[in-house]
Amino acid sequence: MSNVIVFGANGRTGHLVVREALRLGHDVTAAVRDPARWQPPAPDDSPGTGRSNVVRADVRDAADVRSAVEGHDVVVSAIGPPGRHAHRLYSDAARTLVSAMEGAGVPRLIAVTSGGVHHRDPNFPWWYRNLVTPLVRELYDDMRLMETIVRGSTVDWTFVRPARLQDEPPTGNYRVLDASNPRGGRKVTRTDLARFIARELDEHRWSHAAPTLAE
């Protein structure tokens, strides 16, 4: 089992990642900007043997991040902006995370980006490539920059790229391809995404790969 820290743990995806990692018995630290807002998963939601705690950390603050990641085995980045503009959140986070992880000797990063980072992939529906992508181009550009920064580091990385996220019950029926959207895939539930990440903590199947999830 791993000692995991999850950045963005107060978000809808990050909170589920914490829950599912605890369920599998990992020790999990929730890294959040405001610990007073942190609501840990209920005991009956995470019946595994993992322990949880919370730390204050702004993912853009190098000192915060270095202090937070110290002593962990894996960093999970589930950060995301509140709207469709990144405002350099992903690229700024990549720089602070890489610097902190390399300095503290934390070897592994699992980062959630999006299937849309390769928005010209012909496996996407035509309407997504031509209608949706232009609306979120800046967001995808910053995700791509994050991936580029991390690839240039010594970190053992995995970029998990979900299709459009749904706040619905998990289906378990999604498909996964490396760096390519499953043909016609349009969506995936957040819980399926979180369970995929939690399993990858143990399985370590996708080192230096970009698993793309879609139903």
Side-chain angles (χ1 to χ4, degrees):
M1 295 301 170
S2 300
N3 189 6
V4 184
I5 183 167
V6 179
F7 286 85
N10 260 336
R12 287 178 290 172
T13 298
H15 195 270
L16 290 171
V17 171
V18 172
R19 185 187 74 182
E20 296 301 326
L22 288 171
R23 188 188 298 276
L24 294 185
H26 299 283
D27 292 339
V28 185
T29 299
V32 299
R33 287 188 297 173
D34 183 4
R37 292 179 53 234
W38 170 243
Q39 297 290 329
D44 57 345
D45 283 343
S46 50
T49 58
R51 297 169 297 175
S52 67
N53 69 300
V54 60
V55 297
R56 184 201 170 279
D58 183 339
V59 76
R60 283 185 160 121
D61 187 299
D64 274 4
V65 174
R66 174 62 185 267
S67 176
V69 303
E70 191 83 41
H72 290 86
D73 305 311
V74 187
V75 172
V76 175
S77 172
I79 61 172
R84 68 187 190 195
H85 296 288
H87 302 293
R88 301 193 307 274
L89 174 63
Y90 293 99
S91 54
D92 287 349
R95 294 184 182 95
T96 57
L97 287 171
V98 163
S99 176
M101 293 174 68
E102 289 181 333
V106 181
R108 190 176 178 206
L109 172 66
I110 301 175
V112 179
T113 58
S114 171
V117 297
H118 285 307
H119 53 81
R120 298 188 186 278
D121 186 336
N123 286 344
F124 278 118
W126 71 269
W127 55 265
Y128 184 88
R129 299 195 307 270
N130 295 286
L131 300 178
V132 175
T133 294
L135 299 176
V136 288
R137 188 177 304 278
E138 183 262 349
L139 186 75
Y140 291 156
D141 285 348
D142 200 48
M143 287 179 178
R144 278 192 290 274
L145 181 54
M146 176 188 198
E147 293 189 0
T148 298
I149 292 167
V150 173
R151 282 195 186 94
S153 73
T154 61
V155 168
D156 179 4
W157 52 266
T158 300
F159 300 123
V160 184
R161 297 173 175 171
R164 183 164 52 94
L165 288 169
Q166 304 290 293
D167 294 311
E168 297 176 356
T171 69
N173 293 327
Y174 60 86
R175 296 163 288 157
V176 187
L177 290 178
D178 182 16
S180 180
N181 190 64
R183 182 170 295 277
R186 295 181 294 175
K187 62 182 182 177
V188 67
T189 75
R190 288 185 194 275
T191 301
D192 279 327
L193 168 63
R195 289 179 178 177
F196 176 88
I197 292 170
R199 286 196 301 271
E200 177 62 13
L201 294 170
D202 284 325
E203 295 175 357
H204 210 156
R205 293 180 54 196
W206 297 92
S207 176
H208 287 222
T212 304
L213 282 62
E215 292 182 10

